[in-house]
Amino acid sequence: MKTISCMNIEPELLYSYGAEKKSYKQKEIIYREGDHAAYYYQIIKGKVKLNSYDEGGKEFIHNIIGENQSFGDSLIFLEKIYVMNAICLTDAEVIRLPKNNFIELLENNPKISLELNACLSQRLYFKAIMLQNMSSQNPMIRLEGLLNYLKSYHDGDCEQCFPVELTRQQIANLTGLRVETVIRNLKKMEKQGKLKIKDRKILY
């Protein structure tokens, strides 16, 4: 079963409800931990990471999202502040729609509301899988859990053909492992035939 590539609403529909297109530079912050949730965001192009930092300043990446995917929508229905940052990994173009306008769009388009429910359910599933993997003391189990999730977005069914577009550091931050541990266990997985490494690119 392929992962639902949340959430992709037709831009024209978003614009008809008052959305605007915003351009961001690489490393620019879209919103910060502690900001109030005020918009629905959907990426036109570029990549955005959702991250937070512990008291020691260590980064933890919650997710990396790209073209035609949304973020920030889960808190639209709550009067809560963001618990993570949204930071551009590349130059990006993002559509943003004010919270009240987005709720009106959902009220007038029940099918999209159902799609959003499916999207949010998928995210909860990802969180549950990642929490389960994070509880394992085996680094390889953590890595396989992440790679399987990422590959679930991929249309092809061939083995070792999915390019993992993450740096070793990003993989470490997503799994809570040290970079050295990630590198060592990726090499072990390559020897076991679970993946290929070609020109430092991971093919899973």
Side-chain angles (χ1 to χ4, degrees), residues 130 133-134 136-151 164 166-168 170-190 194-195 202 204:
M130 288 303 293
N133 290 333
M134 290 288 285
S136 173
Q137 297 300 311
N138 187 334
M140 203 172 295
I141 290 177
R142 296 193 190 188
L143 291 171
E144 284 191 53
L146 174 64
L147 296 177
N148 285 333
Y149 172 76
L150 295 173
K151 190 172 182 178
V164 180
L166 298 174
T167 67
R168 283 14 177 214
Q170 289 168 343
I171 292 173
N173 291 345
L174 277 162
T175 55
L177 298 170
R178 295 173 59 86
V179 176
E180 296 81 4
T181 304
V182 169
I183 294 171
R184 185 169 59 252
N185 280 273
L186 287 174
K187 288 179 180 177
K188 286 182 182 178
M189 292 172 71
E190 183 183 28
K194 294 180 178 180
L195 54 81
I202 303 166
Y204 186 64

Side-chain angles (χ1 to χ4, degrees), residues 13-20 96-98 101:
L13 181 60
L14 293 172
Y15 291 133
S16 72
Y17 278 84
E20 61 179 345
R96 72 176 193 182
L97 179 63
N101 302 48

Side-chain angles (χ1 to χ4, degrees), residues 43-197:
I43 301 172
I44 301 173
K45 67 177 183 180
K47 289 186 177 181
V48 174
K49 69 176 177 180
L50 306 178
N51 76 344
S52 58
Y53 300 92
D54 65 17
E55 60 276 7
K58 182 180 179 181
E59 180 185 34
F60 181 80
I61 297 178
H62 297 267
N63 208 349
I64 293 176
I65 49 182
E67 185 176 333
N68 297 328
Q69 292 182 282
S70 63
F71 60 98
D73 36 359
S74 58
L75 287 179
I76 281 179
F77 307 99
L78 303 171
E79 294 298 326
K80 300 290 185 181
I81 58 174
Y82 291 118
V83 295
M84 61 189 75
N85 310 293
I87 303 173
C88 294
L89 285 173
T90 65
D91 289 352
E93 290 184 1
V94 177
I95 299 173
R96 72 176 193 182
L97 179 63
K99 173 179 177 177
N100 292 337
N101 302 48
F102 180 66
I103 292 173
E104 181 184 357
L105 184 155
L106 294 180
E107 290 172 344
N108 295 335
N109 297 271
K111 185 178 179 181
I112 293 177
S113 183
L114 286 173
E115 290 174 357
L116 179 63
N117 287 337
C119 170
L120 296 177
S121 295
Q122 179 63 58
R123 289 177 182 168
L124 287 173
Y125 175 77
F126 170 56
K127 288 293 185 184
I129 292 296
M130 288 303 293
L131 284 172
Q132 187 177 31
N133 290 333
M134 290 288 285
S135 67
S136 173
Q137 297 300 311
N138 187 334
M140 203 172 295
I141 290 177
R142 296 193 190 188
L143 291 171
E144 284 191 53
L146 174 64
L147 296 177
N148 285 333
Y149 172 76
L150 295 173
K151 190 172 182 178
S152 71
Y153 282 96
H154 187 55
D155 291 330
D157 290 324
C158 58
E159 291 188 8
Q160 300 177 357
C161 66
F162 170 64
V164 180
E165 297 181 358
L166 298 174
T167 67
R168 283 14 177 214
Q169 183 64 62
Q170 289 168 343
I171 292 173
N173 291 345
L174 277 162
T175 55
L177 298 170
R178 295 173 59 86
V179 176
E180 296 81 4
T181 304
V182 169
I183 294 171
R184 185 169 59 252
N185 280 273
L186 287 174
K187 288 179 180 177
K188 286 182 182 178
M189 292 172 71
E190 183 183 28
K191 288 181 180 178
Q192 294 174 6
K194 294 180 178 180
L195 54 81
K196 292 180 182 177
I197 300 177

